Amino acid sequence: MENYKGSVNAQGKVFVKKQSSVLARSLMVGGFGFALVFGFALGLFSILMKCAGSGQQSDNIVGPLYAVSIVLLIASLIMSMYTSARIMKVKLGTIIGMIFMYGIANGISFGILFYAIQVTPGNTIQMSDFIVCFLITCAIFGITGFLGTLLTVRFTLSLGKFLLIATLAYMVVFFVLIMVSLFTKVLNNDSIQLWIYGIWGALMILYILYDFSVIKKSQPFMEMLDSQTQTKFVFMFGFMLLVNLIQLFWVVIRIMLRVKR
């Protein structure tokens, strides 16, 4: 996960210094963001438990918070599309702001989820179940990421094309199911929901494979860039990995909630 970069001093001697790889630094950004998301979520959960309780007051607080999380999530995803297309021109602060908004949005969502489960009558789900989900997610992420670094360039390109088509197809089918569910109870069916989450999880695993491969293969190109531009790419790659990790965690949680219901 490390490479070496040479430089020449005033006497003409070549110095070689150890430099962390793009992938290693991107993983640090993604991992730090993931830790902040859960730190914020647990903090919000504690505040809701102390201040909101489980009555009408909780509804008055949770509703607006959930709306804020949706707005921040949409805003951060729009910013990511804009930033990825103009990464050579945008400022590093813009990328950090995008990561911050995405993290806060998911932190609010997780905090509300923990709170809603805790105050639900007859709840049998404990915080230890979420820890298990976290460990499962990290294990899948780590194994899949390692395999992604082994992919060839040709396979990576083919995987990218497949993911584009598969994601569009999944979104169309999901939209159709939502429309159908307005008039029926099709989405309340446990087997259908498990299939939906299973396919979503499979897509996220493929995205992790793809992103790790792309980041790994970007190293030679990144070494030709100045340090400021490298840093922007590292944060952008870190955001991609953070999105993958959080989405995979959501899938694992939803499957756990569906199975233990």
Side-chain angles (χ1 to χ4, degrees):
M1 300 295 288
E2 295 176 336
N3 59 6
Y4 295 85
K5 185 175 181 180
S7 59
V8 182
N9 67 359
Q11 288 75 38
K13 295 182 179 180
V14 178
F15 284 84
V16 178
K17 59 180 180 180
K18 190 185 297 183
Q19 185 181 52
S20 298
S21 71
V22 174
L23 180 58
R25 287 179 285 165
S26 299
L27 280 169
M28 287 179 60
V29 172
F32 184 71
F34 196 58
L36 286 181
V37 167
F38 279 91
F40 186 88
L42 292 175
L44 178 60
F45 168 72
S46 300
I47 292 172
L48 288 173
M49 288 299 296
K50 290 180 180 179
C51 303
S54 58
Q56 181 65 33
Q57 184 181 2
S58 67
D59 295 333
N60 295 336
I61 295 176
V62 169
L65 278 175
Y66 191 63
V68 168
S69 72
I70 293 175
V71 171
L72 288 176
L73 183 61
I74 294 174
S76 61
L77 293 177
I78 291 175
M79 283 183 64
S80 71
M81 290 186 287
Y82 172 82
T83 303
S84 60
R86 299 169 57 86
I87 191 167
M88 302 298 288
K89 297 181 180 180
V90 298
K91 295 181 179 179
L92 178 60
T94 302
I95 302 175
I96 295 176
M98 171 187 68
I99 298 173
F100 180 79
M101 284 195 297
Y102 185 81
I104 293 297
N106 281 280
I108 293 174
S109 296
F110 282 124
I112 291 174
L113 174 66
F114 298 157
Y115 170 74
I117 291 174
Q118 188 66 35
V119 299
T120 298
N123 168 54
T124 60
I125 297 173
Q126 307 297 324
M127 288 301 294
S128 59
D129 294 318
F130 291 110
I131 295 176
V132 171
C133 289
F134 172 79
L135 294 175
I136 292 173
T137 301
C138 290
I140 295 174
F141 186 82
I143 294 171
T144 306
F146 172 74
L147 295 176
T149 62
L150 304 179
L151 299 182
T152 63
V153 174
R154 185 174 181 179
F155 188 89
T156 301
L157 294 174
S158 299
L159 181 58
K161 295 177 182 177
F162 170 79
L163 282 172
L164 177 61
I165 297 172
T167 302
L168 290 175
Y170 176 81
M171 292 175 64
V172 170
V173 172
F174 187 66
F175 177 77
V176 171
L177 287 175
I178 290 177
M179 293 296 100
V180 173
S181 69
L182 294 176
F183 306 98
T184 66
K185 296 182 179 180
V186 63
L187 288 187
N188 291 332
N189 186 287
D190 285 346
S191 61
I192 291 180
Q193 288 215 3
L194 286 174
W195 271 104
I196 291 173
Y197 298 146
I199 295 173
W200 180 15
L203 284 175
M204 292 315 305
I205 288 174
L206 291 177
Y207 268 110
I208 294 170
L209 277 170
Y210 176 75
D211 287 342
F212 266 81
S213 181
V214 169
I215 296 171
K216 179 77 172 181
K217 291 171 177 55
S218 71
Q219 184 72 42
F221 166 73
M222 296 290 291
E223 290 174 355
M224 296 186 293
L225 302 175
D226 60 88
S227 59
Q228 184 177 7
T229 305
Q230 279 191 35
T231 302
K232 289 195 291 186
F233 270 100
V234 164
F235 272 85
M236 192 66 202
F237 288 151
F239 175 71
M240 291 163 49
L241 296 177
L242 176 62
V243 171
N244 291 335
L245 189 56
I246 287 180
Q247 290 302 308
L248 184 60
F249 188 65
W250 272 117
V251 171
V252 175
I253 284 181
R254 282 178 167 88
I255 292 176
M256 183 269 292
L257 292 175
R258 182 60 53 179
V259 170
K260 296 197 65 171
R261 192 175 67 170

